[in-house]
Amino acid sequence: DDDDDDDAIDDADDDDEDDEEEDEDEDDEDEDDEDAEQEGDDDDKDEVDDDEEEEEEEEVSEENKIFQDQLREYQLTQQAEKWCKPSSFTLLPYEDCNHNGMFNEIKFMAGLTNGLKMMLLAVISSFEMNRCFYVTETFNHLMMRENKTQELPTFIGRYFEPIGLDANHPSVLRAQKDGRIHKVTWQENWNNMKKRRVHGVYKHTIHSLGYENMEGTLLKKIMLERMWRLQPNVRDYVCKTLESHGLSKDYIGFSVRRGDKFKEGFKFPIAHKYILAAENAWKQYFDHFPDKATMPKIFVATDDCKVMTEFRELRPKWTFVSECDRNENHNGFILTDMRQWTLEQTDEHFQKFFVELFGLVGSWFLIGVSYTNVAWWAFYMRPYRWAHQYIDVGLSKDHLIHTVNSW
């Protein structure tokens, strides 16, 4: 019996030892699990740290891009250089409006500069009323093509920074659902002289922007710069291309618009009239020019490249430069022809146009015609009212001054 008891005791001891070994194994497994969890936590932490580092790198990279953009200098005149850098004005605060009130829907239609002009007036009125607004591009001829694969989904987004609230902004969608949308027509701003902001007649106040009793021309100049901004990559291309024309010293700009304008009853001034105007400008406005015996360069912006031959034959010793020298296949812009364009042709046309616009803006003295909205747009991008001459056929000087003041 004692032996049986001893065997039972030994068996019990063996069982205890087995239990202890199992407990030790379980402890080891728990420790392994804890280690695995710790390793998992460390991995997660490493992933978070990596994500944060990537975000920081992206932020630094974006800051560097902005910094480099601000530092970049082009060999251009001061007036052109201004538009080749980020604006000194902040972007318009499109979110700072009454999201519970009426919204303005602004249509971007017609030709480019005419459409932008009407948009600018509508944007000014929207801020004046403290109304949120968004821009629609439906039925914009600048985008529509016969070949649907060549259509632009957006014109503004392809070349410009955003203007207004996004059409899919939650507040816009809510306003549409509530019926709080006013569809702005171009007539309501253009046919009202006060809303057109004609020169020197009215004073304008926009409380949200801190503008008090501001003259109309100055207001449009400032608002244009805060609203209209080329995409950085587009702007860089434009300024590098303009730089290649060797326009670092003051020069004269010619704006020659032909194309479909004859359908509207306009008579085109002959090339010789531009030449005479340039000779007068040289005598009157280039006293500061280092070489008074040499005619300054003339930058020609035109939709009809045949005019380059006319100018060069009239004054073979003068230096005329133009985007036409890169591509001579421009023989008069006709809006309806755009329906046949490819995306490549669209980009080529508007890149040329933006180079020409910046070229006109950078000129010391600009000679052109008042019947094109390109002249209007260049006028508001340039700093001096005196540095323009318009040579429209059959219009007196007083009539032209009235036209410019009514812009």
Side-chain angles (χ1 to χ4, degrees), residues 163-214:
I163 299 174
L165 295 179
D166 188 276
N168 293 314
H169 191 288
S171 295
V172 172
L173 298 177
R174 185 161 52 88
Q176 290 173 337
K177 183 179 179 182
D178 297 344
R180 292 182 286 111
I181 302 295
H182 171 64
K183 296 185 177 182
V184 180
T185 65
W186 66 267
Q187 292 94 335
E188 64 188 79
N189 290 308
W190 188 250
N191 294 341
N192 182 318
M193 293 297 105
K194 186 171 185 179
K195 288 187 176 181
R196 196 194 290 192
R197 323 288 166 176
V198 296
H199 178 72
V201 179
Y202 305 101
K203 299 292 185 181
H204 309 279
T205 296
I206 302 178
H207 295 295
S208 64
L209 299 178
Y211 299 154
E212 302 287 338
N213 297 318
M214 187 174 287

Side-chain angles (χ1 to χ4, degrees), residues 28 60 89 111 133 149 179 193 225 232-233 263 267 281 320 355 360:
D28 290 340
V60 171
F89 291 115
F133 70 91
T149 65
M193 293 297 105
E225 188 173 343
N233 63 310
K263 295 180 181 179
K267 295 181 179 179
F320 297 93
V355 172
L360 295 178

Side-chain angles (χ1 to χ4, degrees), residues 76 238 241-247 249-256 274 278 296-302 308 311-312 319-326 351-367:
L76 295 168
V238 166
T241 303
L242 187 62
E243 185 180 43
S244 70
H245 287 295
L247 298 172
K249 297 179 181 178
D250 287 332
Y251 59 94
I252 294 172
F254 281 1
S255 175
V256 184
Y274 280 89
K297 265 186 186 176
I298 297 178
F299 178 82
V300 182
T302 181
M308 296 304 298
F311 288 140
R312 285 166 175 157
T319 301
F320 297 93
V321 295
S322 172
E323 280 296 280
C324 287
D325 295 327
R326 301 178 193 278
Q351 286 167 349
K352 172 182 178 291
F353 173 80
F354 295 135
V355 172
E356 291 181 333
L357 182 59
F358 276 40
L360 295 178
V361 170
S363 63
W364 181 250
F365 196 86
L366 173 57
I367 299 166

Side-chain angles (χ1 to χ4, degrees), residues 57-67:
E57 286 176 3
E58 287 176 4
E59 289 176 5
V60 171
S61 176
E62 189 61 31
E63 288 175 0
N64 283 338
K65 286 180 183 177
I66 295 171
F67 182 67

